[in-house]
Amino acid sequence: MENKNLSGSENLISTRKIWQNIRKYWWICILCVLAYGALVAVDVWRAYQSDVQAAVRDTYQASGMVYYPHSDEEEGRFFVTLCTTERVVDRVNEALTANGYSEYGADDSIEVNWIGNTFGLTLIGEGEERMACMMDSFLHFLLEEAQEVAGKEGSILNETSVRPCLVKSNGSVIVYEDASQRQATLSLGDIITWRRAMIAAAAFFAGALIIFVLIIFDEKIRTKEEIEDMLTAPCLGVLRTKNDQEVFRALTEGLCRKQNIGALTFITWKGTECLQEKLAKMGEAFSYEILEDICGNPEMMRKATAADHLVLAIRLNQDKKSALKQVLEDLELIGNDILGYLLLE
């Protein structure tokens, strides 16, 4: 017997090995997706609860537009920046407090949409009358400050309009015609987004990557090629069906007769019952003895040393290459040859 590769350094990745691992570990991909789905569910629920709290607030969106001529882009950016300067905000706050409203603060927001010589202002905050007063003040004092600093006069194009709104947790703003319509809703679009779909796909592929790693480190014998990579002894049979058993019986009877073999010694790791059952179905075709796990049992090793004709009984998808490697090393050390091997499925 010649052992070809007892180092076990080569791990053949066959189609069968890939398929067997996918059948065994497919649930990892599903588990990764479900884990991300659970995180999404928690995130959606928290966002919805935040929207429910936001719907209780008396939030309004105020809009207005001014005309301000400017000669270049730099001057236009100056006008946009002027909206939130301390001087303008202070004058707006004075007007608000004079009318009995709270000052412009962290709970309020302002946005400027600049197109050509027109500048649209959008304010969001609490209180309908307060937001109307705030927008009127911003438009008025902004134009006054711009004229004082840059010497150019602008004008208000659109009067202030105030509408109830809801600022959602994701930053989007929903505007309503009537304040009674302001309520938190949960739609399919809030749950399934393009970003979440991409992350779910990434979670699936992360599970596939885990399976790929398991395939790489899978030591279980999946194909005859993996055995033949370590052993030159022939395959005496693959016991799957009744016909396979009859073929193995005929081959073994002829082999024993021609080589004058009185009895065969089968070496297994685990699964002695499976081999015993299959051999029993063949009747009294030949004499045999089964030795289980000879590497860990001194008595079995002594019997293997005394035996003349050894047959390895290997279970596909169950026995490991490391176990086969250890048996081959031990048998080579004691000088026993292997007549062949039998595959059990």
Side-chain angles (χ1 to χ4, degrees), residues 167-334:
V167 182
K168 302 191 69 175
S169 57
N170 59 7
S172 62
V173 179
I174 302 177
V175 181
Y176 305 94
E177 292 296 331
D178 188 84
S180 61
Q181 299 174 339
R182 188 193 296 119
Q183 61 180 352
T185 58
L186 189 61
S187 65
L188 185 62
D190 295 323
I191 302 173
I192 302 176
T193 64
W194 179 255
R195 178 176 175 271
R196 285 174 177 163
M198 291 298 99
I199 296 178
F204 181 86
F205 284 111
L209 180 61
I210 294 174
I211 295 176
F212 179 73
V213 172
L214 292 174
I215 292 174
I216 293 177
F217 291 98
D218 179 17
E219 276 201 338
K220 289 184 178 179
I221 299 171
R222 305 291 184 180
T223 63
K224 290 174 60 177
E225 288 75 18
E226 293 178 273
I227 302 173
E228 293 168 356
D229 185 51
M230 303 175 67
L231 180 66
T232 57
C235 177
L236 301 180
V238 182
L239 299 188
R240 295 191 186 95
T241 64
K242 184 177 181 180
N243 182 66
D244 294 334
Q245 295 175 3
E246 293 298 327
V247 171
F248 174 69
R249 174 177 178 173
L251 175 64
T252 308
E253 284 180 338
L255 186 64
C256 292
R257 184 175 61 254
K258 287 188 175 183
Q259 297 192 18
N260 195 25
I261 299 174
L264 294 177
T265 301
F266 291 92
I267 295 178
T268 68
W269 288 266
K270 302 295 181 182
T272 305
E273 298 80 4
C274 176
L275 176 61
Q276 183 71 48
E277 179 184 351
K278 291 182 180 295
L279 293 178
K281 292 180 180 179
M282 300 180 190
E284 300 297 330
F286 51 84
S287 299
Y288 62 86
E289 182 181 13
I290 300 176
L291 304 180
E292 181 179 2
D293 195 15
I294 65 173
C295 297
N297 192 316
E299 181 181 353
M300 294 295 179
M301 179 58 75
R302 281 192 293 270
K303 290 183 179 181
T305 304
D308 294 324
H309 307 288
L310 302 178
V311 177
L312 296 178
I314 302 172
R315 299 174 301 164
L316 288 179
N317 306 316
Q318 296 186 61
D319 294 331
K320 295 183 178 180
K321 290 181 66 177
S322 58
L324 174 60
K325 171 177 172 288
Q326 185 62 53
V327 168
L328 294 179
E329 287 178 345
D330 290 347
L331 293 179
E332 186 176 39
L333 184 62
I334 63 178

Side-chain angles (χ1 to χ4, degrees), residues 6-25:
L6 290 185
S7 66
S9 58
E10 295 184 10
N11 188 11
L12 300 178
I13 301 179
S14 61
T15 303
R16 184 182 179 90
K17 175 171 285 192
I18 294 173
W19 174 240
Q20 289 290 338
N21 279 276
I22 290 176
R23 286 181 59 186
K24 184 176 181 180
Y25 297 114

